Amino acid sequence: MKNRDFNNWLSGFRESIADYGYYINFEKVHRNVYNIKVELNILNSLIGSNNIETDFENLINKYPETLKCIPLLLAVRSNEIYAIDGDGDYTYNFKKPNLSVEQYKTFMRKTGLFDLMKNHIVNNLVDYATGVETGLDSNGRKNRGGHLMENLVESFIQKSGFVKNESYFKEMYIHQITDKWGVDLSAISNQGKTEKRFDFVVKTPNMIYGIETNFYGSGGSKLNETARSYKTLALETDTIDGFTFVWFTDGKGWTSARHNLEETFDVMEHVYNIKDLENGIITEVFK
């Protein structure tokens, strides 16, 4: 650690680690639309209707299962939708209809869905639903982003020759580490009162490595909290024979929390970024 300069190390942090699958999971999009494709095509018969409310009523009476498509047309992932206005408040169930057809007609009218179909604002509900699903899936980027750094680190662990569930393990709790290898981790579990989970654990003949990973593309209070907690964790693990804490982090978000990160950098021997991974730090450290 003494041989590394913090400012130089921080300057190598990345803007993003988005891979090709980060933006939209089209497999999921197409699967979700396919599951209601028949019902959407039935609803397509309402497009351009000159008597849409009557046609809707007849359609729902004959094919009540088509109601399950309605929430998606409003970009809602739920079988129930609540709505209130001067005429009252209602909770509409679209999987198990709980209101009259007249009330569902009111819903379609007031949400603008009748207008969407009657006036040819859309020409095909399958295509429209695919677009809505694509938009909804973009909300999943945060979750996918949270796993990007884990996936990246895991790829470098594998490239270094470690084998999953043999020499490296994913998402292990302190008690699992203790049970498997008999190492006393009470120093980092508050004498067994807290249950810490590591993103990865690598086992070599001489050492157990507990690994945490994260990437921060933007700043926030979370970063300061992370830096402080990992500084504490590093100091606690220094007292444990046969166990080493390793932290892989990156992201330009750290620029706003550089002082807290530097404090951790100064006391923690094994904190690395993506550039370190690319330069073979895993092979160098995990022995």
Side-chain angles (χ1 to χ4, degrees):
M1 182 61 67
K2 293 180 180 179
N3 296 325
R4 296 195 296 165
D5 175 72
F6 174 77
N7 292 322
N8 182 58
W9 181 68
L10 185 65
S11 69
F13 278 31
R14 312 291 172 91
E15 292 281 355
S16 172
I17 53 171
D19 60 14
Y20 294 104
Y22 166 74
Y23 298 98
I24 296 294
N25 182 348
F26 279 111
E27 181 181 349
K28 177 184 174 184
V29 167
H30 296 314
R31 182 174 64 249
N32 288 348
V33 174
Y34 180 82
N35 288 338
I36 56 172
K37 188 174 182 178
V38 171
E39 290 81 4
L40 287 169
N41 276 314
I42 293 173
L43 285 175
N44 269 337
S45 64
L46 297 175
I47 292 177
S49 170
N50 292 320
N51 196 8
I52 195 165
E53 297 208 13
T54 299
D55 289 344
F56 175 79
E57 181 173 349
N58 292 335
L59 186 149
I60 294 304
N61 285 331
K62 190 172 183 179
Y63 305 106
E65 67 274 12
T66 56
L67 277 176
K68 70 181 181 182
C69 303
I70 302 303
L72 179 61
L73 301 183
L74 294 174
V76 174
R77 286 208 191 282
S78 173
N79 292 318
E80 291 188 339
I81 295 180
Y82 175 82
I84 183 173
D85 64 9
D87 295 328
D89 60 299
Y90 300 91
T91 299
Y92 296 84
N93 192 310
F94 291 91
K95 188 173 183 180
K96 297 179 179 179
N98 61 327
L99 299 169
S100 67
V101 174
E102 283 298 321
Q103 194 60 51
Y104 282 99
K105 285 162 64 176
T106 299
F107 180 91
M108 297 292 287
R109 185 187 320 117
K110 290 187 175 183
T111 58
L113 286 174
F114 274 158
D115 184 57
L116 182 79
M117 291 184 273
K118 178 181 178 180
N119 295 314
H120 279 285
I121 296 173
V122 296
N123 294 314
N124 186 299
L125 291 177
V126 175
D127 293 343
Y128 172 79
T130 300
V132 173
E133 274 287 351
T134 300
L136 288 172
D137 188 73
S138 68
N139 296 327
R141 289 176 189 165
K142 183 175 181 180
N143 291 332
R144 287 193 290 272
H147 293 291
L148 285 175
M149 190 64 173
E150 284 185 30
N151 295 340
L152 186 63
V153 170
E154 185 171 18
S155 71
F156 280 99
I157 291 174
Q158 292 172 341
K159 287 177 184 177
S160 299
F162 295 99
V163 179
K164 188 174 183 178
N165 296 328
E166 291 184 16
S167 51
Y168 88 88
F169 304 83
K170 196 169 183 178
E171 297 180 347
M172 284 192 81
Y173 287 92
I174 286 176
H175 80 272
Q176 293 173 313
I177 298 170
T178 298
D179 291 345
K180 191 170 184 65
W181 295 295
V183 60
D184 181 6
L185 298 179
S186 58
I188 59 174
S189 67
N190 190 20
Q191 305 302 315
K193 296 177 183 177
T194 59
E195 184 66 306
K196 167 72 182 169
R197 187 188 73 178
F198 290 96
D199 291 333
F200 298 100
V201 173
V202 170
K203 179 68 174 72
T204 68
N206 303 312
M207 186 63 64
I208 300 168
Y209 298 90
I211 301 166
E212 285 291 313
T213 69
N214 42 52
F215 183 95
Y216 295 107
S218 58
S221 58
K222 170 75 172 177
L223 285 77
N224 291 324
E225 178 188 335
T226 299
R228 284 192 294 266
S229 65
Y230 285 3
K231 176 183 177 182
T232 300
L233 185 58
L235 293 172
E236 290 172 343
T237 54
D238 280 348
T239 66
I240 303 173
D241 290 334
F243 187 87
T244 298
F245 175 45
V246 182
W247 180 22
F248 293 107
T249 193
D250 211 303
K252 287 295 186 180
W254 279 115
T255 304
S256 64
R258 58 178 297 134
H259 297 300
N260 287 84
L261 181 60
E262 186 171 10
E263 286 183 13
T264 304
F265 181 91
D266 287 341
V267 302
M268 185 174 178
E269 181 178 0
H270 298 293
V271 52
Y272 305 109
N273 61 14
I274 294 172
K275 188 175 181 180
D276 294 322
L277 283 166
E278 294 172 342
N279 290 335
I281 195 65
I282 286 182
T283 303
E284 182 181 330
V285 171
F286 295 2
K287 296 179 178 178

